[in-house]
Amino acid sequence: MTDEALVVRFDSMGDMLMTGPAVRAVAHGPRTVTMLCGPRGEEAARLLPGVERVIVWDCPWIANPAPAATTTSVAELLVLLKDPPAEAVILTSFHQSPLPTALLLRMAGVRHITAISEDYPGSLLDIRLRPGTDVEDLLPEPERGLAVARAAGFELGADDDGSLAVLLPEPWVPPSQLAALWQSEATPPYVVVHPGADAPARTWPAGHYAECVRLLVAEGMDVLVTGGPGDIALCARIAGKGAHNLAGRTDVAGLGQLISGAALMITGNTGPAHLAAAVHTPVVCLFAPVTAAANWAPYGIPLELLGDQDAPCAMTRARECPVPGHPCLSSITPERVVEAVHRLASRTGAAFGSRGIPRSGAGR
């Protein structure tokens, strides 16, 4: 007989991917996991090993922009949680409270709830971890989530190293413009460049990205520029005439396939950086210090972290840069990023031009 447990994470793709170790700990043994998530995290949730079922609800106190908090929306969640698991683990970022979620889970009939909470939880939590006391403030986010799962009594399997992971579907059909590239055994490893981010404060200037791509192409590298449907014009500018613009051409699983075949990736503090970590692709990360790199840098992979982590905007959580000129990232020249690409390639043994692109899309 199997038990069922509920894991809750309402944020976006990157946050969801970083719940992976916690999810696998909860799923270890004769137990199934239902993930309760928001719309922006759904695709990533369906890729996580250990997740058997996904429930999607747009959370008014987590989503941005936030939907209205109404009796109707609460009733919708209670219907979705009909016959809920007895056990729930609520995963949140340091600035989020689990207590509104815990209240609704209690109303749905969940009997045992574990979470990190700064505030007194009353009867809403059975196991409460205090930030800064029970859980370190600057713990990497995957380890923070795993700490909650462990407090609830769940542990990773003996052969699980706690890294990020996804299950990518096979077979995978690449975007049509890359068909010839994938069919060529002689094609060298490529670089993925993902310039977009949810918050402007976390983006490197588009002109810098464009010049970086030009320099990489001039060195003979294949460059794939990726983004969402809203990034097509931006990525076209950055790709120029020498790189492939794939913005809007893949879902999260397809993006994972592209990244899994790359020698490395160049991006900011954004969801695809954590997707790269989940497929074990090294990252040159242009990381704005509006949040702490100790918490949010790509986890468990070879990394070149660029950006002034002591800039005046540090830890402001600003979406728009509060410092004129966005110096923490704009001061990083394209040449410095290309140098970081070569350092990372040297450390990881990637020799551009020496190995073919994997065509199965199986990841690593």
Side-chain angles (χ1 to χ4, degrees):
M1 182 176 180
T2 62
D3 296 321
E4 184 182 6
L6 185 72
V7 176
V8 183
R9 184 84 202 213
F10 283 126
D11 299 277
S12 56
M13 174 177 64
D15 307 280
M16 181 59 65
L17 292 168
M18 287 189 286
T19 69
V23 167
R24 298 196 307 274
V26 176
H28 181 58
R31 190 179 300 108
T32 62
V33 170
T34 294
M35 176 66 74
L36 174 58
C37 67
R40 296 200 310 158
E42 179 183 3
E43 285 189 70
R46 297 188 185 279
L47 299 178
L48 291 179
V51 172
E52 296 288 334
R53 186 165 69 105
V54 176
I55 298 174
V56 182
W57 186 67
D58 204 6
C59 180
W61 51 90
I62 300 293
N64 187 8
T70 65
T71 54
T72 299
S73 66
V74 169
E76 289 173 351
L77 177 61
L78 296 179
V79 170
L80 290 170
L81 290 175
K82 183 181 179 181
D83 300 322
E87 178 96 21
V89 171
I90 302 174
L91 303 180
T92 53
S93 297
F94 73 95
H95 56 88
Q96 298 168 344
S97 171
L99 299 186
T101 303
L103 174 62
L104 296 190
L105 295 186
R106 287 289 195 227
M107 292 173 63
V110 178
R111 296 195 298 273
H112 194 272
I113 304 173
T114 303
I116 298 173
S117 181
E118 179 73 40
D119 300 315
Y120 169 65
S123 62
L124 296 182
L125 299 179
D126 298 282
I127 299 177
R128 171 202 180 189
L129 289 81
R130 294 171 175 82
T133 301
D134 302 311
V135 181
E136 297 177 24
D137 288 333
L138 293 180
L139 201 63
E141 194 69 8
E143 295 179 22
R144 189 175 192 269
L146 186 57
V148 180
R150 284 172 168 156
F154 305 116
E155 186 54 82
L156 292 169
D159 60 347
D160 193 323
D161 64 2
S163 61
L164 303 193
V166 288
L167 295 173
L168 298 178
E170 285 193 77
W172 180 65
V173 179
S176 58
Q177 70 193 87
L178 291 182
L181 192 66
W182 251 254
Q183 291 168 4
S184 172
E185 293 289 353
T187 303
Y190 53 89
V191 174
V192 170
V193 173
H194 189 93
D198 286 342
R202 293 191 275 118
T203 58
W204 197 38
H208 287 33
Y209 267 116
E211 176 62 11
C212 178
V213 168
R214 189 193 68 78
L215 292 172
L216 294 174
V217 170
E219 291 191 13
M221 300 185 198
D222 278 315
V223 179
L224 312 185
V225 183
T226 60
D231 298 324
I232 294 174
L234 168 69
C235 291
R237 173 188 172 190
I238 290 170
K241 295 181 180 180
H244 302 274
N245 176 14
L246 301 183
R249 302 295 298 274
T250 66
D251 57 10
V252 173
L255 181 59
Q257 303 281 13
L258 288 176
I259 297 170
S260 73
L264 55 87
M265 183 178 189
I266 303 169
T267 191
N269 177 19
T270 186
H274 306 297
L275 188 56
V279 296
H280 308 289
T281 294
V283 175
V284 174
C285 188
L286 295 137
F287 197 101
V290 290
T291 57
N295 298 121
W296 298 101
Y299 182 71
I301 56 170
L303 178 69
E304 284 282 331
L305 190 77
L306 303 178
D308 180 3
Q309 301 305 301
D310 297 317
C313 63
M315 298 302 294
T316 61
R317 293 176 41 222
R319 295 185 61 81
E320 300 282 345
C321 182
V323 182
H326 196 21
C328 69
L329 292 187
S330 65
S331 61
I332 303 169
T333 66
E335 290 78 9
R336 279 186 61 194
V337 175
V338 173
E339 290 170 1
V341 166
H342 285 289
R343 284 197 304 271
L344 192 54
S346 177
R347 285 167 48 203
T348 59
F352 296 99
S354 67
R355 64 185 173 95
I357 294 173
R359 291 177 292 165
S360 67
R364 300 179 196 154

